[in-house]
Amino acid sequence: MQNNIQNNNNNNNNNGNNKKKLRSKNVVLHFIAGGAGGAMGVICTSPLEVIKTQLQAKNSMLLVKDKPRFMPTTFYSLYHLVKRDGKRGLFKGLGTHLSGVVPARAIHFSTYSLTKSVMNKLGYTDGPTLWITSAVTSGSAVAIVTSPIWLIKTRMQLQTSLKNFNEGTQYKGFLHCCFSIVREEGPLGFYKGLGASLISVSESAFQFVLYEGFKNGILKLKRENGHENPNELTTPEYLISAGVAKLIAAFSTYPHEVVRTRLREQVKPGTVSKYKTVLQTLYLVAKEEGLRGLFGGLGPHLIRVVPNSCIMFLTYEFVLDVHQAVSSVFNKFNNNKH
C-alpha cells in the first residue's frame, strides 16, 4: 500500500512537471502570452510611467517647485500634469510604449522559455543558474532590439508645456521625433542609453529568479503540507510572487533607471550633453544631486511597476492556462473520436 501511495505521489509530481515542461517548450505561445501581459500592464499604469520619467529628468525640480511639504510628490505631479497638458498628458508616449512593450515582453518571455528549454536539454535542472542565464539572455535580446523605441518613448514623455523643462525640438509626434533624431543626432542617437539598458538586465534577471523561487517555494510548502492541489498556484499566489519579486528587484537596482533617462534626454541642437557614459552619469548625478537624484521618481516607479508586474504575469499565466485547457479539451475530443 505504501508503494501505491508513493507511486501516486510520483505520478502527481510527474503530471505537474509535464505540465510545466509542455508550457516551457511552446515558444509561440509564450511569445503571445508575454505580449498580451506586457500590453495590459502598460495600459493600466501609463500615467505613473509618464510621471516617473519626468521626475527622473535633470530639470525634475521644476515639477515640484511649489509643492506643499505634506503633499506626496506622485499625486502632486499627476495633478499638475493634467492641469498643464490635459488628460491626454497622462498617456504621453503610450502608442510608442505599446509598440515597444508588446514585442519586448513577447521576445523576453519567448527567449526566456526557449533558453530554459535548451538548458534543460543540456542537463540543467530548474534552479538559480538556469533562471539567471535565461533571464540575462532574454533581457539582453530585448534591450538591443527595442532600444530605439524606448528612446523615442522617453523623449515623447518628456515633452511638456512646463517652461524651461525641455531643451531642443518640440516633437509633434512619433514620426517627427524619429526624423528629428536622425537629423540632429544621427542614426546612433537611437541607441543612447543602451549601456544602461543592458545593465538593467540585472533587474530583470533578479526579478525572474525571485519570481521562480517564490513560485517553487509556495509549491514546495503545498506538497509538504499535503495540499489539495500541490502542483498549481492560485491567482493570489501568482500575484504575491510577481509583486514581491518586482518590488525587491526594482528598488535594489533603481539608479540605473535615472541614468538611462539622463542619457536619453534631448539637448539643444549643436550642444553636447554633459551625460556621456553610464558610470560618468552615475557619478555626476550622485555628486550634484546626491541620493535624492539617484532615486528621483522612485515613488511613482514602485507604485507603477508592482501592479504592472502583477497584471503582466497574471495575464501571461492566464493565457498559458487557457491554451492548456483548450488543448486538453481538443485532445479528449480527438481521443474519443478515435
Side-chain angles (χ1 to χ4, degrees):
M1 183 174 177
Q2 198 169 10
N3 288 336
N4 289 336
I5 293 172
Q6 184 66 39
N7 288 334
N8 287 335
N9 287 337
N10 288 337
N11 287 336
N12 286 337
N13 288 335
N14 287 336
N15 288 339
N17 290 335
N18 288 338
K19 180 180 176 181
K20 284 182 72 178
K21 193 174 182 182
L22 175 65
R23 286 169 62 170
S24 68
K25 283 186 174 181
N26 197 328
V27 178
V28 175
L29 173 62
H30 284 263
F31 189 91
I32 295 169
M40 284 297 295
V42 165
I43 292 169
C44 293
T45 61
S46 177
L48 291 166
E49 167 68 17
V50 176
I51 285 299
K52 181 236 8 177
T53 302
Q54 292 186 356
L55 288 171
Q56 289 174 343
K58 60 177 176 285
N59 291 326
S60 61
M61 292 305 295
L62 295 174
L63 296 169
V64 293
K65 187 178 178 182
D66 300 315
K67 182 184 79 68
R69 285 189 176 183
F70 65 85
M71 179 73 72
T73 301
T74 301
F75 298 115
Y76 181 85
S77 301
L78 283 169
Y79 170 74
H80 279 275
L81 174 62
V82 175
K83 193 175 179 181
R84 281 193 315 270
D85 303 326
K87 291 180 182 178
R88 291 183 65 182
L90 295 171
F91 296 93
K92 285 182 179 183
L94 177 59
T96 307
H97 201 171
L98 280 173
S99 69
V101 80
V102 173
R105 292 307 180 194
I107 292 168
H108 198 136
F109 279 103
S110 57
T111 307
Y112 182 80
S113 171
L114 180 62
T115 306
K116 281 180 67 177
S117 180
V118 170
M119 290 187 71
N120 282 330
K121 289 179 180 177
L122 293 174
Y124 290 91
T125 56
D126 275 5
T129 301
L130 183 144
W131 299 334
I132 290 173
T133 303
S134 300
V136 168
T137 302
S138 58
S140 299
V142 169
I144 293 168
V145 173
T146 62
S147 182
I149 298 174
W150 300 135
L151 180 127
I152 295 168
K153 186 270 299 180
T154 299
R155 294 285 180 89
M156 296 298 291
Q157 289 180 338
L158 291 176
Q159 297 286 295
T160 175
S161 59
L162 183 64
K163 188 178 179 182
N164 299 325
F165 188 84
N166 296 308
E167 294 181 354
T169 306
Q170 285 287 333
Y171 302 128
K172 299 174 184 177
F174 178 86
L175 289 177
H176 183 233
C177 180
C178 291
F179 290 135
S180 298
I181 291 170
V182 172
R183 183 178 66 250
E184 297 169 6
E185 304 166 54
L188 290 179
F190 287 108
Y191 288 90
K192 287 181 177 179
L194 177 58
S197 291
L198 290 173
I199 291 173
S200 73
V201 171
S202 63
E203 178 190 339
S204 178
F206 193 23
Q207 176 191 354
F208 267 82
V209 169
L210 289 172
Y211 179 61
E212 296 277 15
F214 288 148
K215 286 199 303 180
N216 283 356
I218 293 170
L219 291 173
K220 184 180 178 182
L221 283 174
K222 282 186 167 186
R223 286 192 290 270
E224 289 175 353
N225 295 325
H227 196 273
E228 188 178 344
N229 296 309
N231 295 311
E232 293 181 8
L233 293 177
T234 63
T235 298
E237 287 165 347
Y238 275 126
L239 289 174
I240 291 169
S241 299
V244 176
K246 186 62 178 180
L247 181 65
I248 295 171
F251 180 80
S252 59
T253 61
Y254 184 74
H256 84 268
E257 292 264 356
V258 175
V259 170
R260 185 169 55 194
T261 295
R262 298 294 177 95
L263 288 169
R264 287 174 173 169
E265 272 191 282
Q266 188 184 14
V267 296
K268 294 177 181 177
T271 63
V272 179
S273 173
K274 66 179 182 179
Y275 303 117
K276 297 178 175 24
T277 65
V278 173
L279 291 178
Q280 181 261 354
T281 302
L282 192 66
Y283 171 76
L284 202 57
V285 173
K287 181 183 176 182
E288 295 179 350
E289 304 168 46
L291 284 175
R292 186 173 182 176
L294 289 174
F295 287 89
L298 177 63
H301 180 66
L302 291 181
I303 295 171
R304 181 190 73 86
V305 296
V306 174
N308 181 295
S309 182
C310 290
I311 293 166
M312 179 185 71
F313 276 104
L314 191 58
T315 305
Y316 171 71
E317 301 285 359
F318 174 74
V319 172
L320 296 181
D321 287 340
V322 168
H323 173 269
Q324 190 171 18
V326 172
S327 297
S328 179
V329 170
F330 273 104
N331 288 335
K332 286 181 180 178
F333 176 77
N334 288 332
N335 290 335
N336 291 334
K337 192 175 179 181
H338 293 300

